[in-house]
Amino acid sequence: MDGFQQRTLTTKRSLKYTYYVSPSGESTKQHPALFFIHGFPDSARLWRDVIAKLGALPNKIIVPDCLGYEGTDKPSDTKLYAYKEQAADLVEILAAENAVSTVIIGHDWGSGIAQRVYLYYRELFSGVILLNVAYLIPATEPFDLAAANKLTESIFGYPQFAYWELFTAPDAAELINNNLDKMWQVLHGDVDDWMRKMFCTKDGMRKFLLGDKDVPLLPYAQERRWRDEFMRQFKADGFDSALQMYRASVSNVNYESDLAIPKDQLAINVPMLFIICTRDAVCVRELMTPAKERGLVPHLKEVVVDSAHWSPMEKPDEIAAHIKDFINENFP
């Protein structure tokens, strides 16, 4: 992010976070800070094209490398990745930057984390923007991966979380580390229904990583900057820490974390934007339905972008336009 200041903060848990701050901008009720949270397997860089397209907004912008990624610490203890603890870390960054009011914006796992940051510290936030991942209502019982895949196969026609079986397997990080170029193709292949074939087909991703077939890449993924940075990041760091959020869910670290949220405080009672991508087989629009039916997202606005999963890379202009519209509509 050109012109942004890189800063570090060591949290109360003794974890070092790296984050980036715009050189100017406000964090007030009228002009809340914009707090961008990336997901798997990215870094703060995910947002740079989106931020560049936002134009001259008066808002302060803060963009961290999340726990397990790039300049932030990469612990191997899955319990350190619990929603509540990550939320506390991120709120320490906001406090360090004197962010008195904030719109939190998340993509992929960053969306899941953004929701929890709001639920634990709702008084700090005046808006929520979720990309791809809908509001995941805190569960009332432990997560069962096999049961989830059986249920989603009955609903959608495919096991929605089939790839979690690989990502939580003992050999997952080693397999991906040894096949980084193939993993880049898994994430950004330009093939019809590619995400379903890779992510929502039992052993689909594992077979591709171990095979000798290559596929073409989506246009943005052909840009050297994206691929080169991905290869540099994971050749240096490996994938173990990037997989911890999947382990935190399957091992029910996140379920136990969610138990701290009062059951009468599950509603997101601020303006909320949900950006849906048409070619995302995992993060489908229907996952927002339970929250809508229960009245937990009373100020929800939904918009649709013709994109695969990594919409901040593929369609930064459209994502930025929707964010600007949301800010201008709610904080004129």
Side-chain angles (χ1 to χ4, degrees):
M1 280 149 295
D2 293 341
F4 274 52
Q5 301 168 6
Q6 178 179 316
R7 297 178 181 173
T8 61
L9 177 142
T10 300
T11 69
K12 294 174 182 176
R13 298 197 292 161
S14 299
L15 294 170
K16 185 196 78 173
Y17 274 73
T18 294
Y19 64 98
Y20 301 85
V21 183
S22 56
S24 62
E26 300 180 41
S27 173
T28 64
K29 291 293 184 180
Q30 184 178 1
H31 300 302
L34 307 182
F35 197 30
F36 287 85
I37 313 298
H38 72 82
F40 171 90
D42 299 304
S43 70
R45 286 190 306 273
L46 172 76
W47 298 108
R48 63 182 168 197
D49 289 358
V50 173
I51 291 169
K53 301 292 183 180
L54 288 176
L57 288 176
N59 312 72
K60 187 173 191 174
I61 298 174
I62 307 168
V63 195
D65 288 328
C66 290
L67 188 65
Y69 290 95
E70 194 68 319
T72 291
D73 280 348
K74 304 165 190 67
S76 58
D77 182 352
T78 302
K79 292 182 180 179
L80 294 176
Y81 292 80
Y83 278 140
K84 185 177 181 182
E85 281 68 27
Q86 288 200 69
D89 293 342
L90 294 172
V91 164
E92 287 186 52
I93 292 175
L94 293 179
E97 295 301 325
N98 299 310
V100 298
S101 181
T102 301
V103 172
I104 193 165
I105 304 160
H107 174 259
D108 187 85
W109 272 120
S111 174
I113 293 170
Q115 302 165 30
R116 280 359 188 223
V117 178
Y118 171 83
L119 291 176
Y120 288 117
Y121 300 95
R122 60 180 62 236
E123 70 280 0
L124 300 178
F125 298 95
S126 49
V128 174
I129 300 176
L130 307 180
L131 278 70
N132 297 70
V133 176
Y135 178 25
L136 307 173
I137 304 169
T140 57
E141 57 187 41
F143 180 74
D144 182 323
L145 179 58
N149 277 326
K150 184 177 180 180
L151 175 63
T152 55
E153 187 164 18
S154 71
I155 296 172
F156 302 120
Y158 53 81
Q160 192 175 23
F161 306 105
Y163 67 106
W164 286 33
E165 295 175 0
L166 170 61
F167 283 0
T168 57
D171 65 339
E174 181 181 8
L175 175 60
I176 297 171
N177 293 342
N178 291 336
N179 296 279
L180 286 177
D181 188 68
K182 300 281 285 188
M183 189 62 185
W184 185 248
Q185 295 176 55
V186 164
L187 300 173
H188 307 293
D190 189 5
V191 175
D192 287 343
D193 212 12
W194 184 240
M195 193 168 196
R196 183 185 63 79
K197 293 172 181 175
M198 288 293 97
F199 288 76
C200 307
T201 301
K202 184 173 178 59
D203 294 327
M205 191 183 299
R206 180 182 288 273
K207 290 177 180 177
F208 181 80
L209 288 172
L210 292 173
D212 57 6
K213 179 183 178 182
D214 292 317
V215 298
L217 295 168
L218 290 163
Y220 71 88
Q222 297 175 32
E223 297 180 30
R224 288 289 301 273
R225 56 175 181 146
W226 290 120
R227 182 188 177 281
D228 288 354
E229 288 168 355
F230 171 87
M231 297 298 287
R232 178 196 54 74
Q233 179 178 348
F234 290 105
K235 281 182 178 179
D237 301 333
F239 254 83
D240 184 71
S241 60
L243 298 172
Q244 290 295 340
M245 282 300 293
Y246 297 95
R247 296 170 184 157
S249 288
V250 170
S251 66
N252 280 299
V253 166
N254 280 335
Y255 163 72
E256 294 169 4
S257 177
D258 277 350
L259 294 177
I261 303 171
K263 299 307 178 187
D264 62 348
Q265 294 183 29
L266 299 181
I268 297 179
N269 288 317
V270 293
M272 180 178 176
L273 176 65
F274 180 34
I275 300 178
I276 302 145
C277 293
T278 57
R279 291 178 279 116
D280 189 336
V282 176
C283 304
V284 294
R285 183 175 195 164
E286 290 82 356
L287 293 181
M288 187 64 85
T289 300
K292 291 193 287 187
E293 290 179 344
R294 289 177 56 179
L296 298 179
V297 285
H299 308 292
L300 174 66
K301 176 182 178 180
E302 296 179 312
V303 297
V304 178
V305 174
D306 182 18
S307 172
H309 180 77
W310 277 269
S311 52
M313 295 182 184
E314 185 174 357
K315 294 292 180 72
D317 296 74
E318 290 185 44
I319 300 301
H322 288 306
I323 293 173
K324 285 183 70 173
D325 288 346
F326 177 84
I327 298 300
N328 290 330
E329 288 168 8
N330 292 287
F331 310 98

